[in-house]
Amino acid sequence: MRMTVRQRWRWVILAAALLATACGGVFGKTYPAYRYRVTVEVETPQGLRRGSSVIEVQTTAGGPYSISGGGGGGIATRVTGEAAAIDLPNGETLFALLRTHGSPELPENLYALQIPYPTKAEVEARTGKGKWSSSTAFDIWMERVRTSSGIFTVPRWRTDALAGASGWPMLVRFGDTGDPGSVEEINPNDLRSTFGRGYAIKRVLVGKTK
């Protein structure tokens, strides 16, 4: 029996719908985006100064047939936001960038890293099979990240697999704000040597926004 053009299009639409449904688990899974605010507090001779920026993160986990990560199963993130600017009383501005030393995971995981990763027992309870599942573990973690609240103090140094790497954003200043080439990296442990006595990073905070 020959199909009419309309019937053929119905089958094409149906196949596309089935493929789109399958892609969620086979070719990858995209999680709802979330936003968080990063705030940098600086002690100065004239009191505390703050600067903050809101960052949005969209996370996608590759499925077994995804080319993400070079062989499937990779994690990709889309990050939007701006550097946090801290106006100092000496007339200069300190910028906290969307990157850090020794870790490619900032800023996409700066907030998420403050949320506990699920334990083996929690994952096994979710699967109902008493087995570990890395995809289920990541699902649980993303749920916690999206539904969590509160403000967290970011540790100065990482204590996970990247132990010893900086946990704070990279800090810079510009000799001329109109000249990107005048950028100068600032040591977060020693603001005094750059700005003078009484300058120091007090803390870095992250908190979810609506």
Side-chain angles (χ1 to χ4, degrees):
M1 180 179 67
R2 298 183 62 180
M3 291 189 295
T4 65
V5 173
R6 179 175 295 180
Q7 289 173 325
R8 290 174 182 172
W9 273 111
R10 285 177 178 174
W11 278 108
V12 170
I13 294 172
L14 176 60
L18 292 174
L19 180 60
T21 301
C23 286
V26 177
F27 294 103
K29 178 178 181 179
T30 297
Y31 299 87
Y34 65 92
R35 294 181 178 181
Y36 72 89
R37 182 183 300 277
V38 56
T39 301
V40 179
E41 296 184 344
V42 180
E43 294 177 340
T44 79
Q46 281 73 48
L48 193 66
R49 296 295 177 94
R50 297 183 179 87
S52 65
S53 176
V54 174
I55 298 172
E56 181 176 278
V57 183
Q58 177 83 69
T59 306
T60 299
Y65 296 100
S66 169
I67 61 174
S68 175
I75 304 299
T77 53
R78 185 182 65 193
V79 181
T80 56
E82 298 180 349
I86 306 97
D87 293 324
L88 304 178
N90 61 1
E92 295 196 68
T93 301
L94 182 65
F95 294 91
L97 304 184
L98 301 185
R99 58 172 296 183
T100 189
H101 284 297
S103 172
E105 298 182 87
L106 189 87
E108 52 263 41
N109 283 338
L110 185 59
Y111 179 84
L113 286 171
Q114 315 313 315
I115 307 302
Y117 206 73
T119 64
K120 183 174 182 290
E122 290 171 330
V123 174
E124 292 177 346
R126 172 72 68 89
T127 62
K129 300 178 181 179
K131 295 182 179 180
W132 170 264
S133 168
S134 58
S135 61
T136 300
F138 196 79
D139 284 345
I140 296 174
W141 190 45
M142 283 289 96
E143 290 173 8
R144 289 178 176 176
V145 170
R146 296 195 310 273
T147 60
S148 62
S149 60
I151 298 176
F152 302 92
T153 299
V154 180
R156 175 66 184 94
W157 304 104
R158 298 281 294 270
T159 58
D160 52 11
L162 295 174
S166 176
W168 286 359
M170 180 183 291
L171 303 178
V172 301
R173 71 172 177 177
F174 291 88
D176 178 359
T177 55
D179 178 14
S182 66
V183 64
E184 175 190 358
E185 185 176 348
I186 304 301
N187 182 355
N189 298 323
D190 187 19
L191 265 61
R192 177 176 178 174
S193 64
T194 301
F195 300 110
R197 186 175 181 179
Y199 286 88
I201 298 295
K202 181 179 181 180
R203 58 182 179 176
V204 177
L205 305 170
V206 289
K208 286 282 291 300
T209 64
K210 296 181 179 180

